[in-house]
């Protein structure tokens, strides 16, 4: 009331004062509810996220986040962000959330919050057709291409040493496959869905599934402590699983039943 009397004495329209007062009384999450959320995704990661011939970002991840947004009434805008800069963009507030085949692990959970997994994954090794390599350990002394800061980078670093000159780091999966196909490295390693997709397009390559690789899960990422947004994303993911939307999207991109329910 004091705020309204003071505004009246200063000649400020009462309607504007009332709107401002209501907004100030709302929780921060409620104020931001109708704001357009910026979603980071690296569009070099087919079939999860990639640019089509019209330069639109499409893929499994994109369909999933769009379905969640629709279910929860969220406005979103997807921005193509290189994977090497995706966490920096979230840290800086340039984006509100990330969906880009991000593996949930203990190290990342110390800095970020994740939804439950929306995709079950494992690491996969790509090799030339004539390679005799039969396991990750057989790659000792050989050149390995990985996407920088990825799970494959973490695994290779633990196995062969983070500063090993044999670990070649690149910005995207197409680059590591291109380097392998061109003979610049002896192997490339990454998430099974995208490695299998890329190798299927190159008859000179094959894949190796090392059974020592652990099961992984991809999650949608938000800033640590952003509970309001995390709760909405988690609820939306649960809802699209329950109503069959998730299964429809999964079959569209992988031509089989979902591996996460």
């Amino acid at each position: 009331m004091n705020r309204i009397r003071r505004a009246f004495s200063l000649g400020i329209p009462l309607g504007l004062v009332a709107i401002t007062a209501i907004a100030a009384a709302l929780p921060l999450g409620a104020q931001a509810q109708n704001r357009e959320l910026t979603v980071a995704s690296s569009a070099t990661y087919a079939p999860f996220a990639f640019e089509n011939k019209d330069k639109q970002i499409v893929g499994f991840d994109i369909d999933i986040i769009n379905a969640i947004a629709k279910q929860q009434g969220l406005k979103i805008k997807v921005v193509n962000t290189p994977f090497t800069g995706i966490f920096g963009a979230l840290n800086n507030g340039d984006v509100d959330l990330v969906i880009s085949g991000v593996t949930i692990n203990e190290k990342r959970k110390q800095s970020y919050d994740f939804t439950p997994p929306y995709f079950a994954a494992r690491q996969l090794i790509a090799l030339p057709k004539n390679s005799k390599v039969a396991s990750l350990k057989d790659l000792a002394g050989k050149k390995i291409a990985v996407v920088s800061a990825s799970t494959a980078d973490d695994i290779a670093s633990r196995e062969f040493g983070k500063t090993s000159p044999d670990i070649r780091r690149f910005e995207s999966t197409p680059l590591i496959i291109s380097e392998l196909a061109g003979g610049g490295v002896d192997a490339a390693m990454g998430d099974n869905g995208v490695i299998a997709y890329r190798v299927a397009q190159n008859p000179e390559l094959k894949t190796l599934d090392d059974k020592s690789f652990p099961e992984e899960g991809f999650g949608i990422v938000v800033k640590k402590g952003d509970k309001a947004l995390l709760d909405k994303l988690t609820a939306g993911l649960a809802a699209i699983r329950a109503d069959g939307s998730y299964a429809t999207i999964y079959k569209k991109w992988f031509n089989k039943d979902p591996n996460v329910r």
Side-chain angles (χ1 to χ4, degrees), residues 4 17 33 50-52 62 67 113 157 160 177 182 216 229 260:
I4 293 174
V17 175
Q33 185 168 357
F50 60 100
E51 286 188 344
N52 64 14
I62 309 307
D113 285 334
S157 295
F160 307 114
I177 294 296
E216 302 166 353
L229 180 54
V260 173

Side-chain angles (χ1 to χ4, degrees), residues 21-36:
I22 292 169
L26 289 172
L28 185 60
Q31 293 181 46
Q33 185 168 357
N34 294 320
R35 178 173 64 85
E36 184 178 65

